[in-house]
Amino acid sequence: MIFCPMNIVLLEPEMPANTGNIGRTCVATGSRLHLIEPLGFQINEKAVKRAGLDYWEKLDVTVYDCYSDFLERNPKAAEKIFMASTKAPNVYTEVSYEPGSYIMFGKESAGIPEEILSVHRETTVRIPMLEEIRSLNLANSVAVVLYEALRQNQFSHMQLEGKPRSFTWEQTL
């Protein structure tokens, strides 16, 4: 079984480049990507694969027909899901992410519908930003929240130290 520290859920993503970048981040962290249709693009589009580079084939990704299909096929999501939204009452660093948590993000143009957010008030999180800014880029938002969740879990199963190719750190001291 593949170790899966976190699950990233994209509800109706619209931009292939964002989804490609998010896919690459998921591969780099060992996280699963869940895509809930309708998508604003085809998975095989060049833009998705270009943004994901050669990592796309390594991505653990599942596509769902709709939000209820996602919930039916992932029963643990109901108890471990966090909703990222600019409408959230909690800052993303103020909640506790467990291994295997689901972190959901809405489509670029509208976010997660309020009827879904209202059911998850306690686990709805936001990234602080200036009031006049509507939102951050989706791929950036995923990276910010995902890495906080991984940090809280001590970056379990991740490489924590880089290895230079042409020198050793001792040579530079």
Side-chain angles (χ1 to χ4, degrees):
M1 180 175 177
I2 297 174
F3 176 73
C4 178
M6 297 294 157
N7 293 278
I8 296 299
V9 182
L10 302 182
L11 178 65
E12 303 176 6
E14 299 165 318
M15 301 176 75
N18 279 336
T19 301
N21 283 316
I22 292 164
R24 183 175 180 178
T25 300
C26 286
V27 171
T29 61
S31 299
R32 291 186 65 205
L33 179 60
H34 305 265
L35 301 175
I36 301 173
E37 294 184 323
L39 309 179
F41 51 87
Q42 299 294 317
I43 290 289
N44 60 1
E45 274 189 37
K46 283 183 185 179
V48 173
K49 296 194 176 179
R50 185 178 310 122
L53 297 175
D54 56 343
Y55 298 103
W56 194 259
E57 287 74 32
K58 298 174 183 174
L59 179 62
D60 183 357
V61 60
T62 305
V63 179
Y64 304 89
D65 293 333
C66 59
Y67 181 61
S68 60
D69 180 35
F70 164 75
L71 290 176
E72 284 175 29
R73 292 168 56 188
N74 296 279
K76 291 182 180 178
E79 33 185 271
K80 285 187 170 183
I81 196 160
F82 294 88
M83 307 273 174
S85 171
T86 58
K87 302 169 185 84
N90 307 301
V91 174
Y92 75 102
T93 56
E94 296 174 341
V95 298
S96 296
Y97 304 93
E98 299 174 17
S101 290
Y102 292 79
I103 308 169
M104 189 164 108
F105 298 82
K107 61 183 168 184
E108 291 89 338
S109 66
I112 299 170
E114 289 185 14
E115 57 270 14
I116 294 175
L117 291 175
S118 66
V119 178
H120 301 279
R121 179 174 166 70
E122 294 304 313
T123 58
T124 301
V125 299
R126 68 177 286 110
I127 299 169
M129 64 187 91
L130 297 177
E131 188 174 339
E132 62 271 10
I133 302 300
R134 191 173 27 131
S135 64
L136 294 175
N137 171 275
L138 179 61
N140 293 338
S141 296
V142 169
V144 166
V145 178
L146 175 57
Y147 269 87
E148 170 60 17
L150 294 168
R151 184 198 64 78
Q152 288 184 15
N153 288 277
Q154 290 76 49
F155 298 107
S156 179
H157 292 76
M158 297 179 75
Q159 180 179 338
L160 298 178
E161 185 178 321
K163 296 174 178 67
R165 293 185 181 150
S166 61
F167 66 93
T168 64
W169 289 112
E170 291 75 25
Q171 291 173 329
T172 63
L173 298 177

